[in-house]
Amino acid sequence: MIKPSLDQLMDLVDSKYTLVILAARRARDLQDGKPKLVESQSNKPVTIALEELGAGKLFFERGKPTQLG
């Protein structure tokens, strides 16, 4: 079973695309040697990133859309 569940994670972000981008960016940070924000039994960066998000340690701010043209 995945902890936290996908339903719990979706309550924290505005879309599944935001969830994917947030987890991927944080996983890259972890691979680059940045410290973990939560204790995890996993060594997988994506799993750790999702656990950090579920624990309320990661936040995001939606940027304003830019007008093209």
Side-chain angles (χ1 to χ4, degrees):
M1 172 136 270
I2 299 171
K3 299 283 182 179
S5 72
L6 183 57
D7 292 332
Q8 291 171 329
L9 293 171
M10 288 302 298
D11 289 339
L12 302 173
V13 295
D14 59 348
S15 73
K16 59 185 172 186
Y17 303 107
T18 301
L19 177 62
V20 169
I21 296 298
L22 187 62
R25 286 183 182 171
R26 179 61 183 149
R28 272 188 233 114
D29 286 347
L30 291 167
Q31 284 183 321
D32 290 341
K34 296 214 175 152
K36 298 176 190 177
L37 301 176
V38 295
E39 290 295 321
S40 177
Q41 294 181 356
S42 178
N43 292 326
K44 297 178 181 180
V46 173
T47 301
I48 296 167
L50 293 173
E51 289 175 354
E52 291 176 347
L53 179 62
K57 302 289 184 176
L58 295 182
F59 302 96
F60 75 100
E61 184 175 319
R62 175 71 56 193
K64 293 182 182 178
T66 57
Q67 187 172 7
L68 300 176

